[in-house]
């Protein structure tokens, strides 16, 4: 006999969107690293930063889209997927701007004082991500299908039937 009772799922209980978003974010971080690998860019040195930037992206996107997707009809998944891919790549670019600015600041501290390190953050190199990330997301085609699939999965999780 099992001494642990089965977890009780309440009717219309929504999943933990923070944990779910973190998992989605990590998976999308792997997609971003895969795109870099397809483009024959070495991913080893940037992989931890991409995964670090992808977690808050996944959480934000899941929190933003969770409730609207829970009410969406089946035909709305394609527009939601396209919007999610565009918004997600822009939020990811913002997260990567923050992560890489911090890395660049710390690297500058080796040779400069705090003020100079802050002033000399390479923002031009970082701001170009707001153009390239959405471009790669849509140009590679498969992220579009993954975004729609991700929206479908989130909608399914938001509309779980009551446990029997």
């Amino acid at each position: 006999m099992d001494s642990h009772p089965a977890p009780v799922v309440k009717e219309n209980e929504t999943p933990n969107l923070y944990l779910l978003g973190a998992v989605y974010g990590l998976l999308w971080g792997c997609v971003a690293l895969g795109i870099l690998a397809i483009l024959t860019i070495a991913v080893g040195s940037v992989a931890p930063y991409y995964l670090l930037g992808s977690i808050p992206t996944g959480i934000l996107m899941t929190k933003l889209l969770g409730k609207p997707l829970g009410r969406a009809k089946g035909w709305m998944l394609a527009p939601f997927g396209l919007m999610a891919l565009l918004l997600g790549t822009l939020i990811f670019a913002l997260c990567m701007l923050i992560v890489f600015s911090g890395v660049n600041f710390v690297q500058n501290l080796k040779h400069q004082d705090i003020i100079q390190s802050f002033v000399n953050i390479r923002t031009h190199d970082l701001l170009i991500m707001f153009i390239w990330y959405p471009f790669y997301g849509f140009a590679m085609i498969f992220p579009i299908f993954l975004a729609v699939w991700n929206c479908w999965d989130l909608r399914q999780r938001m509309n779980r039937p009551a446990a029997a």
Side-chain angles (χ1 to χ4, degrees):
M1 210 175 226
D2 191 14
S3 62
H4 300 290
V8 177
V9 178
K10 297 175 185 167
E11 186 174 338
N12 296 329
E13 180 180 9
T14 59
N16 181 346
L17 294 180
Y18 294 104
L19 180 60
L20 183 61
V23 171
Y24 282 154
L26 281 174
L27 292 173
W28 275 103
C30 293
V31 170
L33 290 172
I35 289 173
L36 288 178
I38 289 171
L39 297 171
T40 65
I41 297 172
V43 297
S45 61
V46 296
Y49 304 121
Y50 268 64
L51 296 177
L52 178 65
S54 68
I55 293 171
T57 302
I59 293 170
L60 282 169
M61 290 300 297
T62 303
K63 288 296 285 181
L64 282 172
L65 295 176
K67 290 188 181 180
L69 273 171
R71 295 185 303 264
K73 302 295 180 205
W75 62 272
M76 285 298 293
L77 286 178
F80 263 109
L82 292 171
M83 181 198 57
L85 183 59
L86 178 62
L87 188 59
T89 54
L90 292 174
I91 291 174
F92 183 62
L94 177 65
C95 289
M96 294 310 297
L97 174 71
I98 294 167
V99 168
F100 283 136
S101 291
V103 169
N104 192 232
F105 175 75
V106 170
Q107 289 172 343
N108 290 344
L109 279 176
K110 294 177 186 174
H111 308 289
Q112 302 166 345
D113 63 16
I114 292 175
I115 302 297
Q116 287 176 325
S117 295
F118 183 74
V119 170
N120 290 329
I121 293 174
R122 295 178 307 220
T123 54
H124 176 269
D125 296 346
L126 300 174
L127 291 175
I128 200 75
M129 293 184 291
F130 287 94
I131 296 169
W132 284 114
Y133 289 172
F135 174 74
Y136 286 142
F138 285 93
M140 288 292 191
I141 307 293
F142 71 89
I144 296 170
F145 296 107
L146 290 176
V148 173
W149 185 25
N150 197 165
C151 287
W152 175 83
D153 183 63
L154 182 57
R155 186 184 69 182
Q156 293 297 108
R157 292 174 189 274
M158 295 302 291
N159 291 330
R160 283 225 167 118

